[in-house]
Amino acid sequence: MASSMNSLETIQKKIDAVKLFLSVSLSIANAHTVDFYTCDVWDQFMAVPPVEVLTEITLNGDHKRAPEHYLNHGNAKKITFGFCDDSKRLVDVAEFLEAAYAHSLPGLGVCVGRTELLQSLRHTDNAQPLEEVPGAVVESDEFMNSKKSHEVQAMSEVVASLAQRCRVKQVIDVGSGKGYLCSFLSLRYGLQVYGIDSSSVNTHGAQERNRKLKKYSRAYQRHSKANRTPTVVPPSGQEDLEDIAPGEREKEDMVKMSGDAEKEEGKGRRDGEAQTNTTGLTDRNEEDAMTSLTSAILLEDNSLPELDQSDPASAPEEPFLSALCVGMVEPTSPRVPPSELSLEERERRKRENLDRKARSWVNSGGMGSGMLYSPLTSYVTAETELKEIIGELEDAVMVGLHTCGDLAPSTLRMFVAKRELLSVCSVGCCYHLLSEEFDPTRQGHYMARGERKECPSSSVCGFPLSGYLREQSWFCGRNARMSACLALERVSKGQGIQMESLFYRAVLHVILRDHYSSFKSEKRVGNVYSKATSFVDYVWRALRRLELDGSKLSDGVIQGYHDTYRPRMVEMEAFNMLKVTLAPCIEGLILLDRLCYLKEQEDVAFSTLVQLFDPLLSPRCYGVVGVKAPGTELS
């Protein structure tokens, strides 16, 4: 395979460009929304009115100036990115927006598209079409929400192409969750997949889901055929079941299973017309979850819910019932009346029936199971010995779909360290859960006079990963990493921010400052906004949650705070939109660091960033892909 189009030196220059921009602008991302009014955040960072910020963002101009525009100035003071060099406040919103785009992954031009990556993986002298299980029928969007269906189908093709390119049949999915990607890879592409998750609840659920999938797969295929070919069932007792030809028993069961399927459809309609409304419900739930997540991020709330990368509870339980292979169903023989069969033919068909039942038992999870997907429960790190978890470990592809926090960099470290892992495809998420090596707030870690303290060997940090950034002791900050979780594309389309909830929390902080000696409580307000009927009700609920004396306040005093700060709510809206604008730049630096790490490895022949998903459907849409050189042996 040809080497990646971006060399190590090129990636390092891109990192330098993003660092330079963030060194000026990162303070906005690290500002606390909770402290917005108590610390006069707007006046601290902004020298323009909020209406100007919102107007520029709404105009959404062509902010696509090349990064070199900001790097080629002779005088360093001219590299302002819209900030005044003396006051450090933002004075030119248009230039800031241009710089933000230029230092995002799309503006830097370092990513390849999924189609381009697939073409590159298949571009060999003896390239063969991607192998799929013969007769596989995949319509997963009918059984899961649009986001999950989009992610699984897009990533599975890349993973299968990596496996084919490396001539391997094993895939190890780290942080596999409920096993949607694992099931799809095994069903559609016939790969042997090991799904590793630290939660026994997840792996048990994945195992149970896969068992049910095996159990109902043939029935689903029979139901599909029943819609095309009516079947006449002979009267009961007319034939000895052991004398029926292979496939005839299935034909008799077909009408029953078809009726069961119709009953299930009827049940779905009775449960609120579920068949009609499933997609709309799951999409709405997904938008609501994203709105709550965005608000929690902007509040820098430690009670932030982890982004659930599995389907919402309202989604159907069995998302892969349509992802079935016709080859899994025994072909039906032409019907011949039993009375016309010879004794030898009857005996032969009896043996075939018994063999078929035995195979069905094995495939559905019996002793010595030949299942292609094996859910495993284990907590893995870069030091984990995979052979201790997977007894039949062979050369494999390592993957991770939305692996949270430090698990994504650990996946890349495992790929580099284990000789059995020939390629990797990692999509991370939950950047707020990343540990930072040079975080001055880390317990037992500090920075003094340029001296750096390493993370303890027992707790390898997730950022920075590359030697290049580690040498520079780069530090983002927790609030900046939380900002990186924001979804610019969704917010730009009007999704994602509950501004009123943010406003309520910030004004509450003013009340806590003014009326209580300590407003830095160990207790958290949590999500009381969703239950509150007004700002006054919100404050009373929050005070009860914080176990504070409410006798110091009255409804009138509380409402007075609301009325005083309500005209300044536009400042918070504008400031948070600037945070959202910075999100792709912070995420870009984290992902460039991971790509740089792979390019620093001599045995990695190919590495790149790829946009796998539509960011409107799946905001964490970028994957890190690496392939080792053939014949690599590690000590």
Side-chain angles (χ1 to χ4, degrees):
M1 180 183 296
S3 61
S4 331
M5 61 184 69
N6 291 304
S7 65
L8 173 60
E9 182 181 2
T10 299
I11 296 303
Q12 290 174 343
K13 288 181 178 179
K14 302 292 186 181
I15 289 176
D16 290 340
V18 179
K19 278 178 50 200
L20 184 60
F21 172 63
L22 290 179
S23 67
V24 176
S25 60
L26 196 62
S27 56
I28 289 180
N30 271 319
H32 286 261
T33 302
V34 169
D35 296 327
F36 191 79
Y37 298 122
T38 56
C39 296
D40 292 322
V41 169
W42 184 264
D43 289 337
Q44 182 180 350
F45 293 104
M46 308 299 297
V48 294
V51 174
E52 181 178 333
V53 174
L54 294 175
T55 300
E56 284 289 342
I57 293 175
T58 303
L59 290 175
N60 194 23
D62 188 17
H63 308 304
K64 297 181 180 179
R65 200 174 291 180
E68 288 75 13
H69 168 81
Y70 305 99
L71 296 176
N72 292 334
H73 296 292
N75 187 344
K77 285 190 175 182
K78 293 181 181 179
I79 308 177
T80 63
F81 306 112
F83 289 85
C84 173
D85 295 324
D86 296 327
S87 68
K88 310 302 181 185
R89 299 166 76 199
L90 184 64
V91 296
D92 189 333
V93 180
E95 184 170 347
F96 170 82
L97 295 177
E98 290 177 359
Y101 176 83
H103 296 92
S104 65
L105 290 180
L108 292 168
V110 294
C111 290
V112 299
R114 194 177 72 94
T115 301
E116 183 180 355
L117 174 66
L118 291 173
Q119 291 174 346
S120 179
L121 292 174
R122 298 168 187 171
H123 183 66
T124 58
D125 294 336
N126 58 346
Q128 299 293 325
L130 186 61
E131 296 178 2
E132 297 183 8
V133 175
V137 179
V138 179
E139 296 175 356
S140 56
D141 55 331
E142 294 183 6
F143 295 93
M144 64 180 103
N145 66 30
S146 57
K147 176 180 181 293
K148 182 58 65 178
S149 173
H150 173 66
E151 292 167 351
V152 167
Q153 294 199 53
M155 189 165 178
S156 64
E157 186 176 7
V158 171
V159 174
S161 296
L162 286 169
Q164 187 179 57
R165 176 66 185 83
C166 297
R167 296 181 174 85
V168 300
K169 282 292 184 181
Q170 280 192 1
V171 174
I172 301 173
D173 185 358
V174 179
S176 55
K178 295 184 177 180
Y180 295 129
L181 178 64
C182 299
S183 296
F184 198 92
L185 286 168
S186 63
L187 285 170
R188 174 108 186 225
Y189 298 105
L191 295 169
Q192 185 179 16
V193 186
Y194 294 93
I196 304 176
D197 198 276
S198 62
S199 168
S200 59
V201 174
N202 278 344
T203 51
H204 176 74
Q207 193 168 23
E208 192 66 11
R209 187 173 296 102
N210 203 57
R211 182 188 66 80
K212 291 179 180 179
L213 175 61
K214 294 285 186 180
K215 178 179 178 181
Y216 292 111
S217 60
R218 290 179 174 84
Y220 186 88
Q221 287 294 330
R222 290 197 299 270
H223 173 52
S224 298
K225 290 185 178 181
N227 289 333
R228 300 190 301 268
T229 308
T231 303
V232 177
V233 183
S236 175
Q238 196 174 56
E239 299 174 358
D240 183 352
L241 293 181
E242 291 298 327
D243 292 343
I244 299 177
E248 293 302 317
R249 176 67 178 272
E250 291 184 7
K251 277 192 174 184
E252 289 196 3
D253 290 341
M254 188 174 359
V255 173
K256 179 180 182 297
M257 293 307 301
S258 177
D260 291 343
E262 290 173 0
K263 290 178 183 178
E264 287 298 316
E265 290 178 7
K267 179 179 180 295
R269 286 191 291 272
R270 289 192 298 274
D271 294 337
E273 295 299 320
Q275 292 290 348
T276 304
N277 296 328
T278 293
T279 301
L281 278 171
T282 53
D283 289 345
R284 284 197 298 275
N285 289 342
E286 198 174 298
E287 289 182 16
D288 292 343
M290 180 57 68
T291 298
S292 300
L293 175 67
T294 304
S295 300
I297 289 170
L298 292 171
L299 285 170
E300 293 88 36
D301 192 344
N302 280 336
S303 63
L304 173 71
E306 291 187 22
L307 184 60
D308 187 4
Q309 300 302 337
S310 65
D311 289 343
S314 60
E317 184 182 358
E318 305 301 335
F320 285 104
L321 287 182
S322 65
L324 305 175
C325 165
V326 174
M328 293 171 67
V329 182
E330 294 292 332
T332 57
S333 304
R335 175 164 175 77
V336 178
S339 58
E340 297 180 11
L341 294 176
S342 65
L343 182 61
E344 293 78 4
E345 182 63 9
R346 290 189 181 190
E347 290 296 325
R348 184 183 68 81
R349 294 192 178 192
K350 285 181 181 180
R351 289 194 300 271
E352 287 183 355
N353 265 323
L354 292 174
D355 290 341
R356 181 162 51 85
K357 290 176 181 178
R359 290 196 304 271
S360 175
W361 179 75
V362 169
N363 288 334
S364 63
M367 295 290 293
S369 170
M371 292 170 60
L372 293 177
Y373 167 38
S374 302
L376 306 170
T377 302
S378 179
Y379 180 83
V380 295
T381 66
E383 290 77 31
T384 300
E385 286 296 333
L386 294 175
K387 289 183 178 180
E388 296 179 1
I389 303 174
I390 304 171
E392 300 175 353
L393 180 65
E394 302 172 357
D395 289 348
V397 177
M398 174 158 279
V399 303
L401 174 55
H402 290 147
T403 46
C404 289
D406 287 344
L407 185 55
S410 291
T411 299
L412 298 179
R413 286 190 174 105
M414 277 190 281
F415 163 66
V416 169
K418 313 300 181 186
R419 68 177 184 84
E420 300 91 353
L421 303 178
L422 302 188
S423 61
V424 65
C425 181
S426 170
V427 182
C429 71
C430 302
Y431 302 125
H432 61 289
L433 299 178
L434 275 175
S435 61
E436 292 198 66
E437 180 175 355
F438 306 105
D439 182 352
T441 65
R442 273 183 65 89
Q443 185 176 1
H445 169 269
Y446 62 92
M447 290 287 295
R449 299 184 182 276
E451 179 185 359
R452 76 180 189 185
K453 294 288 290 182
E454 302 278 344
C455 281
S457 58
S458 60
S459 176
V460 179
C461 296
F463 181 84
L465 183 62
S466 68
Y468 187 70
L469 269 184
R470 293 183 72 240
E471 289 173 358
Q472 302 173 55
S473 303
W474 182 261
F475 167 67
C476 282
R478 180 178 183 272
N479 294 333
R481 287 184 281 107
M482 294 185 76
S483 296
C485 298
L486 295 168
L488 174 61
E489 290 81 7
R490 285 188 170 183
V491 174
S492 299
K493 297 293 183 181
Q495 305 175 27
I497 297 183
Q498 282 182 338
M499 195 56 61
E500 188 177 60
S501 67
L502 305 179
F503 172 71
Y504 279 15
R505 184 62 183 87
V507 178
L508 171 66
H509 213 55
V510 178
I511 295 175
L512 296 177
R513 178 197 64 183
D514 292 350
H515 295 274
Y516 298 90
S517 57
S518 175
F519 60 92
K520 292 292 185 182
S521 172
E522 293 182 0
K523 297 181 180 296
R524 299 211 154 261
V525 173
N527 186 24
V528 300
Y529 172 80
S530 62
K531 302 175 183 178
T533 58
S534 65
F535 178 70
V536 173
D537 185 34
Y538 172 87
V539 172
W540 289 126
R541 288 175 179 272
L543 292 178
R544 287 194 295 271
R545 179 71 65 87
L546 297 173
E547 298 180 356
L548 295 175
D549 180 12
S551 63
K552 298 180 180 182
L553 300 173
S554 65
D555 289 357
V557 171
I558 294 173
Q559 187 62 41
Y561 276 95
H562 176 276
D563 296 343
T564 298
Y565 285 95
R566 183 63 179 81
R568 296 181 58 187
M569 185 174 173
V570 66
E571 295 176 358
M572 177 176 286
E573 181 182 0
F575 193 82
N576 284 330
M577 287 304 297
L578 293 178
K579 275 194 168 188
V580 172
T581 302
L582 282 173
C585 306
I586 305 168
E587 178 183 35
L589 181 64
I590 293 172
L591 295 181
L592 284 172
D593 171 58
R594 295 174 184 178
L595 177 61
C596 185
Y597 170 75
L598 291 186
K599 290 190 177 294
E600 290 171 345
Q601 314 305 317
E602 294 183 358
D603 59 303
V604 177
F606 177 87
S607 57
T608 190
L609 287 175
V610 55
Q611 182 175 331
L612 291 171
F613 314 133
D614 179 347
L616 277 175
L617 284 174
S618 182
R620 305 281 75 80
C621 61
Y622 296 104
V624 181
V625 173
V627 179
K628 288 179 181 174
T632 297
E633 292 290 340
L634 300 180
S635 57

